[in-house]
Amino acid sequence: MSFPLLTATAVLPAIGAIATAAVPAARRTAAKWLALLFSLGTLVLAGIVLARFEPGGSRFQLTESHAWIKDFGVRYELGVDGIGVALMALTALLMPFIILAGWHDADPSPSSQLRSSRGGPNENKPYRWRPTQGFFALMLMTEAMVILSFEATDVFVFYILFEAMLIPMYFLIGGFGDRAASSAAAAAAGGGDENAATQRSYAAVKFLLYNLVGGLIMLAAVIGLYTVAGTFSLSEIAEARANGTFSMATSTERWLFLGFFFAFAVKAPLWPLHTWLPNAMGEATSPVAVLLTAVVDKVGTFAMLRFCLQLFPEASKWATPVILVLALISIVYGALLAVGQRDIKRLIAYASISHFGFIVLGIFAMTSQGQSGATLYMINHGISTAALMLVAGFLITRRGSRLISDYGGVQKVAPILAGTFLIGGLATLSLPGLAPFVSEFLVLVGVFSAYPVAGIIATTGIVLAAIYVLVLYQRTMTGPVKAEVQGMTDLRARELVVVVPLIALLIFLGVYPKPLTEIVNPAVQHTMSDVQKKDPQPEVEAVK
């Protein structure tokens, strides 16, 4: 029996979460280093998985299959294709940087410690203590669930993970919100710390309710799938369909597709189910915001490829026109709202909504270029958003405000911070030479070849991205140095360790994306085969 490498990759951060949570309260630094150590160990295992994966081999590799709930046909089945292994590697890669960036985000505030030592009214409120152990344990538990969701090939197992990852994220948003910025904003509004806590709680509850509603609808569809297929296993359903022993009525397939797609569209998020994201990213700490949009939300778009297209190919083609319209609205709407934002983190949140529109557009263009581009977009967006949001978080921590108007002239007092912020912003607008350009270009090529009008409309998102990124940089980094910014320090060693590798990766994948495309392209061809689609051939007039 071979070593269960995929299980180990997910179990290690889960063990790390338990170990980190068990560290004594006074040993906060030890808890941080322990969490970082387990995240690095997970990265090593993910690297081994990536090294053992053969792009030209079978569709699902390193598979594991064990009976779990026999009476209901549930099996513990894992396997990775090129898309799943790439996203699993992205998750493992980003987590050490997220932990390093949030090194001090859960440290108890001096005021809360003083009130508690005096027996003040807040002594029984755990969020006032901001327990370091809990913060990093929740991050590692989220990582474990996300990695396992990219590996699951049993629909029921995936559903459990899809829902369970909401729990640690809820506490990370509501219990460990952006303390300095939220308190400053609340104080400006006249509400103080209590109002800031209310805003964080509202954002966390909104995130949870939206995703729970999507999950409940998906649960009904999961049960319906078992009713018609008699199994939750992707491999068994694919085999039965290939043998001609399994088929679904058109109406049944369409209803089940809608149940799955709705849940994934909430998680992605896709307009008009997106409104929870700006609140959640705005109130969460910057590392948690990166964990949310660069890692957790990718489960939604990944599942569209893995489950919607593979399980319901005819319904996916039937729904394509409507989904393309929703994706285009997300692109333009998200970019327009980003242009008008006064809050740095909410601007990045709306930019992400626009980018997720590009990902969904590429998936449902149903061309090999579009789906390859969409997969690369998931990876490159994760890296670029991590770079931009984490540098923005370092900036906000120094000033204590998320408002763009509170900054000015930062590049004169903190040039390295300003330079890394600029590169992260340029990656967000998909500047040629940086990784997101490759993925956005492929998406647009794929869309233009099948839906020219949709491609034309989508290009407006590129123009708007240039506007909101350059205006953000101009208002925060250039111009006269504001008095409150005068004493701002530049990036420290720990912060450089976080940012520099991400920027290097953006540049490397921007000029040499071949390592990613070689992994992703065979999986995309399998998906195209599932939906029985071929790339449209260019119309070339004969030369007379």
Side-chain angles (χ1 to χ4, degrees):
M1 184 176 179
S2 60
F3 180 73
L5 190 56
L6 296 185
T7 295
T9 309
V11 167
L12 186 61
I15 295 174
I18 297 170
T20 302
V23 173
R27 304 291 299 277
R28 293 193 300 272
T29 302
K32 297 174 185 179
W33 282 107
L34 188 63
L36 180 61
L37 181 64
F38 272 98
S39 69
L40 290 172
T42 304
L43 178 58
V44 171
L45 286 179
I48 295 173
V49 172
L50 201 58
R52 292 187 57 183
F53 183 82
E54 299 178 5
S58 58
R59 180 170 190 176
F60 293 106
Q61 300 179 33
L62 304 174
T63 56
E64 302 172 28
S65 181
H66 307 281
W68 185 18
I69 309 175
K70 293 183 179 180
D71 292 342
F72 295 98
V74 179
R75 298 184 62 83
Y76 176 77
E77 288 192 348
L78 305 181
V80 286
D81 62 358
I83 299 170
V85 77
L87 290 172
M88 181 209 65
L90 171 71
T91 303
L93 173 69
L94 290 180
M95 188 54 61
F97 299 120
I98 291 172
I99 289 174
L100 275 174
W103 201 252
H104 297 297
D105 285 356
D107 290 346
S109 63
S111 59
S112 66
Q113 294 186 70
L114 179 62
R115 284 194 295 266
S116 296
S117 65
R118 293 176 176 175
N122 295 317
E123 61 181 337
N124 294 320
K125 294 184 178 181
Y127 292 168
R128 293 293 184 185
W129 280 91
R130 302 178 58 81
T132 304
Q133 291 83 346
F135 181 71
F136 292 104
L138 289 169
M139 279 190 169
L140 289 173
M141 189 57 71
T142 303
E143 179 188 19
M145 293 177 183
V146 171
I147 287 176
L148 204 56
S149 70
F150 291 139
E151 300 171 345
T153 56
D154 183 278
V155 177
F156 190 79
V157 172
F158 173 83
Y159 172 77
I160 291 175
L161 297 165
F162 186 81
E163 290 295 277
M165 69 181 69
L166 301 178
I167 299 171
M169 286 306 305
Y170 167 78
F171 287 108
L172 284 170
I173 296 168
F176 301 92
D178 196 348
R179 176 173 50 188
S182 294
S183 296
D193 287 347
E194 294 300 326
N195 191 31
T198 301
Q199 292 174 6
R200 292 195 296 270
S201 298
Y202 171 77
V205 170
K206 189 174 184 180
F207 158 78
L208 186 65
L209 288 179
Y210 266 68
N211 284 275
L212 280 179
V213 170
L216 287 174
I217 293 174
M218 181 182 170
L219 177 60
V222 169
I223 295 172
L225 176 66
Y226 179 77
T227 301
V228 298
T231 180
F232 294 110
S233 171
L234 280 179
S235 58
E236 291 181 5
I237 293 174
E239 184 179 355
R241 179 172 275 149
N243 295 336
T245 58
F246 169 69
S247 62
M248 278 187 272
T250 300
S251 59
T252 301
E253 181 176 344
R254 290 177 179 179
W255 280 111
L256 294 180
F257 167 84
L258 291 174
F260 276 75
F261 180 79
F262 182 86
F264 302 152
V266 172
K267 182 85 79 179
L270 185 69
W271 185 92
L273 306 171
H274 67 283
T275 58
W276 60 268
L277 183 64
N279 295 98
M281 287 186 66
E283 297 303 323
T285 64
S286 293
V288 172
V290 170
L291 180 63
L292 176 62
T293 190
V295 176
V296 173
D297 287 352
K298 298 299 187 300
V299 176
T301 47
F302 162 79
M304 292 179 189
L305 283 165
R306 168 66 61 86
F307 297 103
C308 285
L309 269 60
Q310 186 173 345
L311 291 173
F312 316 110
E314 294 303 320
S316 297
K317 290 185 283 188
W318 162 75
T320 289
V322 174
I323 295 173
L324 291 181
V325 170
L326 296 180
L328 290 171
I329 294 174
S330 289
I331 292 170
V332 179
Y333 175 82
L336 283 173
L337 288 187
V339 170
Q341 287 303 304
R342 297 181 296 173
D343 183 310
I344 296 174
K345 292 172 72 175
R346 289 178 70 91
L347 184 151
I348 299 173
Y350 280 110
S352 291
I353 291 170
S354 180
H355 294 151
F356 275 107
F358 275 106
I359 295 172
V360 176
L361 188 71
I363 291 172
F364 282 90
M366 295 196 185
T367 60
S368 58
Q369 299 97 330
Q371 292 190 355
S372 293
T375 304
L376 292 180
Y377 215 129
M378 291 186 232
I379 298 164
N380 295 332
H381 171 264
I383 301 170
S384 63
T385 298
L388 181 61
M389 178 60 87
L390 293 179
V391 176
F394 298 149
L395 178 70
I396 292 167
T397 299
R398 285 162 166 74
R399 176 66 178 83
S401 173
R402 303 196 309 251
L403 295 179
I404 297 173
S405 59
D406 287 342
Y407 296 87
V410 173
Q411 67 180 9
K412 297 178 182 177
V413 296
I416 299 176
L417 188 154
T420 53
F421 189 81
L422 177 61
I423 296 174
L426 293 177
T428 298
L429 63 83
S430 300
L431 183 76
L434 297 174
F437 170 76
V438 179
S439 46
E440 192 162 277
F441 178 78
L442 284 173
V443 167
L444 289 174
V445 168
V447 174
F448 267 113
S449 64
Y451 304 96
V453 175
I456 293 171
I457 297 172
T459 54
T460 60
I462 301 175
V463 178
L464 293 171
I467 294 173
Y468 62 69
V469 168
L470 296 177
V471 169
L472 172 64
Y473 183 83
Q474 180 186 34
R475 291 179 178 175
T476 55
M477 302 296 165
T478 65
V481 180
K482 290 200 171 184
E484 297 84 358
V485 175
Q486 189 68 52
M488 183 176 291
T489 59
D490 215 332
L491 293 182
R492 303 179 181 90
R494 173 181 58 85
E495 296 165 336
L496 287 171
V497 170
V498 171
V499 176
V500 171
L502 294 174
I503 291 176
L505 198 57
L506 286 172
I507 296 172
F508 174 76
L509 294 176
V511 298
Y512 189 65
K514 185 179 178 181
L516 277 180
T517 56
E518 285 184 340
I519 294 173
V520 165
N521 286 344
V524 167
Q525 293 304 320
H526 284 297
T527 304
M528 291 286 291
S529 177
D530 289 334
V531 294
Q532 298 179 350
K533 293 282 286 187
K534 295 182 179 180
D535 291 332
Q537 297 298 315
E539 297 180 4
V540 180
E541 294 184 4
V543 179
K544 297 181 180 179

